């Protein structure tokens, strides 16, 4: 990392605030553009999201503004995914200032990988978590459940968003190791703490309280932690 005291004047607090404002503004513009682009595919995405519960015919809307609210929520999530590379870069560029040319190159190379990992988390939630969770939630106690459109979409998008973010852990650890903030030995020694943290995350994110669904999430998160150790080793 560049020696900021020799090559760059040290930034004061207001310069950091100004830089943060600029980074957030660029991220916000990217999000707005992504949401506008997402309008074109939102209807198809809603049909796709409804497949795990059997399609839109198994959902009902009971409020006047419910349909448009769902449309806007899905558009926002779609826009976030489309704008994710730019948002990720702006965040990393602010957290890791004063990068040298080779470090900046590593950061740029990490952006496609970050996008792939986020999408992988979203698909894992869709193909693995939802098929296991929805039957349990709708059939428990043997009571027929009529699911509201807004409740279902909020549930699905929250699950997919947070699991998608959790899949970014290996990349974040790789970047931190590349910039000498963590190392593989440190991560390997803290595996017991990692299991506890993973269990807490799984309990918060998992839509059901049964251990099967928690295990479905804990296993890939622990594998991702082991991958983080490997990537941290490669980074150094």
């Amino acid at each position: 990392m560049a020696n900021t005291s020799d090559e760059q004047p040290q930034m004061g607090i207001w310069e950091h605030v100004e830089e943060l404002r600029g980074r957030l503004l660029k991220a916000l513009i990217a999000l707005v553009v992504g949401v506008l682009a997402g309008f074109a595919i939102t209807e198809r995405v809603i049909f796709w999201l409804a497949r795990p519960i059997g399609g839109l015919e198994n959902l009902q809307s009971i409020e006047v503004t419910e349909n448009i609210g769902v449309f806007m929520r899905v558009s926002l999530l779609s826009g976030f995914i489309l704008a994710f590379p730019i948002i990720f870069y702006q965040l990393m560029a602010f957290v890791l200032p004063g990068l040298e040319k080779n470090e900046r190159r590593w950061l740029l190379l990490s952006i496609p990988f970050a996008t792939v990992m986020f999408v992988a988390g979203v698909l894992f939630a869709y193909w693995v978590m939802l098929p296991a969770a929805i039957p349990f939630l709708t059939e428990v106690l043997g009571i027929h459940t009529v699911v509201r459109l807004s409740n279902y979409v909020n549930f699905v998008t929250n699950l997919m968003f947070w699991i998608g973010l959790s899949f970014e852990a290996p990349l974040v650890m790789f970047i931190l190791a590349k910039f000498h903030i963590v190392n593989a030995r440190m991560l390997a020694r803290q595996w017991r703490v990692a299991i506890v943290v993973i269990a807490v995350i799984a309990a918060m994110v998992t839509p059901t309280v049964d251990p099967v669904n928690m295990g479905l999430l804990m296993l890939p998160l622990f594998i991702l932690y082991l991958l983080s150790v490997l990537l941290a080793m490669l980074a150094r």
Side-chain angles (χ1 to χ4, degrees), residues 117 120-121 124-125 128-129 163 166-170 198 202 206 212-228:
M117 292 301 292
F124 174 82
V128 178
M129 296 296 299
I163 293 181
S166 69
F167 270 56
E168 297 295 331
I198 287 171
T206 303
V212 175
N213 278 288
M214 281 189 61
L216 285 175
L217 182 56
M218 287 183 65
L219 179 60
L221 289 182
F222 187 69
I223 293 174
L224 289 172
Y225 182 79
L226 297 179
L227 178 61
S228 299

Side-chain angles (χ1 to χ4, degrees), residues 52-53 129-140 208:
I53 204 167
M129 296 296 299
L130 289 176
I134 289 177
F136 176 85
L137 294 172
T138 57
E139 296 173 8
V140 66
T208 67

Side-chain angles (χ1 to χ4, degrees), residues 110-187:
S110 71
I111 293 176
F113 187 67
T115 305
V116 169
M117 292 301 292
F118 183 83
V119 173
V122 169
L123 294 178
F124 174 82
Y126 182 82
W127 292 111
V128 178
M129 296 296 299
L130 289 176
I134 289 177
F136 176 85
L137 294 172
T138 57
E139 296 173 8
V140 66
L141 299 179
I143 300 175
H144 176 65
T145 303
V146 180
V147 184
R148 284 184 57 182
L149 174 64
S150 60
N151 177 265
Y152 174 79
V153 171
N154 290 349
F155 164 75
V156 169
T157 53
N158 277 333
L159 182 68
M160 296 170 72
F161 175 79
W162 290 111
I163 293 181
L165 283 187
S166 69
F167 270 56
E168 297 295 331
L171 179 61
V172 172
M173 292 301 175
F174 175 81
I175 294 175
L176 294 178
K178 196 68 182 176
F179 299 136
H180 309 285
I181 298 173
V182 300
N183 58 64
R185 181 177 298 179
M186 178 193 307
L187 296 175

Side-chain angles (χ1 to χ4, degrees), residues 8 28 137 189:
Q8 298 177 352
L28 180 61
L137 294 172
R189 286 177 177 175

